[in-house]
Amino acid sequence: MPRRPACQLAVLIVSIILLCGCATTGDPRRPIPSRLMPSPTRATQLVVVLPGRGDSIDALLRHRVAELVQRQWPDADVLLTGLTLPYYRAGEAIPRLDQQIVRPALGRYRRVWLVGISLGGLGALLYDQAHPGVVHGLLLLSPYLGDAPIHREIVAAGGLASWKPGPVRPVGPQTFQRELWRSLQQWRQRPARTATTWLAYGDRERFRAPIELMSPLLRPDHVLMLPGHHDWTLWSTALPTLLERAGGSP
């Protein structure tokens, strides 16, 4: 399947998300803000954290994300990023993530991971779609996966495995979510990705239904559903468990 430019897809996704009326700061003319939290030992891997729609580096610090990671993976440097909505809106999120953060890290670390929270989970999936196999693994916390109409279509078809997305079409306001789900459907032919992806979500969160369309793509022990909502109470509990499980991966 020909790849669609990640920047076009990101712009279209954000045009819909912005209807929620939630504004975030960030200047896409500048490099992605970031803060490196060094490993307490010799680092062999890098964990890049992509925030949710309403979060920032300060929020990631406040919720002690780096500490949660390094408690489980003491050999990890943690890079907290300010990859916020303006970067997606300007079409800069995925290119800058690749050029500024991921590519330079590949020569320095044995593994590079993406931790994506909500909108950041979508960012991690977009990155993998544009650059398959470049990062070692994905840790997805309540990823945003689009809107209800495409989800209802997949459910009516009997699930993602039996869903027929139709011919590949140019990415546009009416087609981008279909192309995103088409790429997820193709994960069945990408065992290396499904073997290195972990997913967590809450039993009472608003994204539960679409996440459960995606979750059968993964091994059962790579999927974690916990009591809770779409918030940091859930994610602060889920992240250590995902890290513990992923720590035993090949």
Side-chain angles (χ1 to χ4, degrees):
M1 175 185 118
R3 292 182 200 160
R4 303 301 180 193
C7 60
Q8 293 180 13
L9 183 57
V11 169
L12 291 164
I13 289 170
V14 171
S15 70
I16 289 181
I17 296 174
L18 284 174
L19 295 177
C20 299
C22 178
T24 55
T25 59
D27 185 350
R29 297 169 297 179
R30 299 179 179 275
I32 299 169
S34 63
R35 180 163 175 177
L36 182 67
M37 311 297 286
S39 162
T41 64
R42 180 178 175 273
T44 64
Q45 52 190 339
L46 177 69
V47 175
V48 180
V49 183
L50 309 181
R53 185 178 66 192
D55 283 328
S56 62
I57 292 176
D58 285 344
L60 299 177
L61 287 168
R62 189 165 60 251
H63 293 290
R64 302 180 180 273
V65 173
E67 293 178 33
L68 292 175
V69 173
Q70 290 168 342
R71 201 172 296 155
Q72 296 292 329
W73 294 358
D75 66 333
D77 283 348
V78 179
L79 190 70
L80 307 178
T81 74
L83 191 61
T84 51
L85 269 175
Y87 289 90
Y88 292 88
R89 181 174 55 195
E92 291 290 332
I94 304 309
R96 284 187 179 272
L97 177 60
D98 184 58
Q99 297 160 16
Q100 179 187 333
I101 293 176
V102 175
R103 296 292 173 175
L106 293 175
R108 297 179 51 200
Y109 297 94
R110 181 167 54 90
R111 295 176 177 172
V112 176
W113 297 77
L114 298 181
V115 172
I117 305 158
S118 190
L119 176 64
L122 177 61
L125 293 171
L126 289 174
Y127 183 86
D128 182 69
Q129 182 183 11
H131 304 286
V134 171
V135 297
H136 176 75
L138 308 177
L139 301 178
L140 307 174
L141 299 172
S142 304
Y144 170 74
L145 297 171
D147 297 324
I150 192 72
H151 307 152
R152 288 195 293 265
E153 181 182 326
I154 294 169
V155 170
L160 193 56
S162 53
W163 176 60
K164 305 295 184 185
V168 176
R169 298 172 60 193
V171 174
Q174 304 303 317
T175 62
F176 80 94
Q177 295 187 51
R178 183 174 302 275
E179 297 309 312
L180 173 66
W181 280 98
R182 185 196 306 276
S183 71
L184 289 174
Q185 189 181 56
Q186 294 172 348
W187 275 19
R188 295 181 181 280
Q189 285 74 53
R190 295 182 61 197
R193 172 46 68 229
T194 56
T196 53
T197 299
W198 284 260
L199 169 68
Y201 63 102
D203 65 350
R204 288 169 285 162
E205 71 160 275
R206 61 185 183 272
F207 294 162
R208 175 175 174 174
I211 289 171
E212 289 182 343
L213 294 176
M214 174 191 173
S215 61
L217 297 169
L218 304 176
R219 301 175 183 179
D221 62 336
H222 285 214
V223 178
L224 177 66
M225 183 179 72
L226 292 173
H229 299 275
H230 191 82
D231 57 29
W232 276 103
T233 300
L234 172 71
W235 302 329
S236 296
T237 301
L239 180 56
T241 304
L242 293 191
L243 291 161
E244 181 180 13
R245 294 183 182 184
S249 67

